[in-house]
Amino acid sequence: NNGPQQLASEATIYVVLEDVNDEIPLFTEREQETVLEGEPIGTKVTQVNAIDKDGTYPNNEVLYRIVDSPRNEGRDFYEIRERTGEIFTRVEFDREEKQAYALEVEARDGAASARPNANGRPNT
């Protein structure tokens, strides 16, 4: 205002930043576990753990699954609890039949990804 009486005012604006889902879950360690031959079906083998550095739910929620892929040789022999990462046997193992199984597990977060080319899928 360039008039005879100078007028002014102030306003305080609060800007709240919203978390976008741009972090991927990362496993805290690689596991190698042993299952005894003849253990009953449903025996707990291990628990995997991953963290997601996003700041808010559901962006930082971590869910687990066994990868359904022909190269994942252990997929038919184990099951995983989606929310806890606990892994249990689905069969009774016989060491003479096979001595070791590689198991591929995926951790994903609970919302659509903000990363380019994610096409609305969660971060994995």
Side-chain angles (χ1 to χ4, degrees), residues 2-41:
N2 292 325
Q5 188 179 26
Q6 296 291 315
L7 301 175
S9 69
E10 290 183 15
T12 302
I13 300 173
Y14 294 97
V15 177
V16 178
L17 296 177
E18 191 172 308
D19 182 38
V20 297
N21 192 16
D22 59 346
E23 297 288 337
I24 61 171
L26 297 172
F27 285 99
T28 56
E29 58 190 59
R30 289 186 79 131
E31 295 282 332
Q32 182 171 334
E33 298 294 336
T34 302
V35 177
L36 295 176
E37 178 179 45
E39 287 286 332
I41 294 171

Side-chain angles (χ1 to χ4, degrees), residues 7 39 48 57 63 67 69 73 82 85-86 93 101 115 124:
L7 301 175
E39 287 286 332
V48 294
Y57 177 87
L63 303 169
V67 175
S69 163
E73 65 183 3
E82 181 182 49
E86 294 173 294
F93 291 99
Y101 297 85
R115 291 174 161 239
T124 56

Side-chain angles (χ1 to χ4, degrees), residues 106-124:
E106 175 183 272
R108 67 186 186 285
D109 56 28
S113 176
R115 291 174 161 239
N117 302 319
N119 300 322
R121 295 185 309 266
N123 291 320
T124 56

Side-chain angles (χ1 to χ4, degrees), residues 21-90:
N21 192 16
D22 59 346
E23 297 288 337
I24 61 171
L26 297 172
F27 285 99
T28 56
E29 58 190 59
R30 289 186 79 131
E31 295 282 332
Q32 182 171 334
E33 298 294 336
T34 302
V35 177
L36 295 176
E37 178 179 45
E39 287 286 332
I41 294 171
T43 298
K44 183 177 176 181
V45 177
T46 190
Q47 182 171 359
V48 294
N49 187 46
I51 56 170
D52 188 309
K53 293 183 180 179
D54 281 306
T56 58
Y57 177 87
N59 297 349
N60 63 1
E61 176 185 31
V62 178
L63 303 169
Y64 303 93
R65 74 177 186 97
I66 293 173
V67 175
D68 187 17
S69 163
R71 66 188 166 107
N72 190 5
E73 65 183 3
R75 73 181 186 275
D76 296 328
F77 304 102
Y78 299 94
E79 65 183 45
I80 193 166
R81 299 250 167 92
E82 181 182 49
R83 298 202 178 274
T84 65
E86 294 173 294
I87 297 175
F88 299 88
T89 60
R90 291 179 64 190

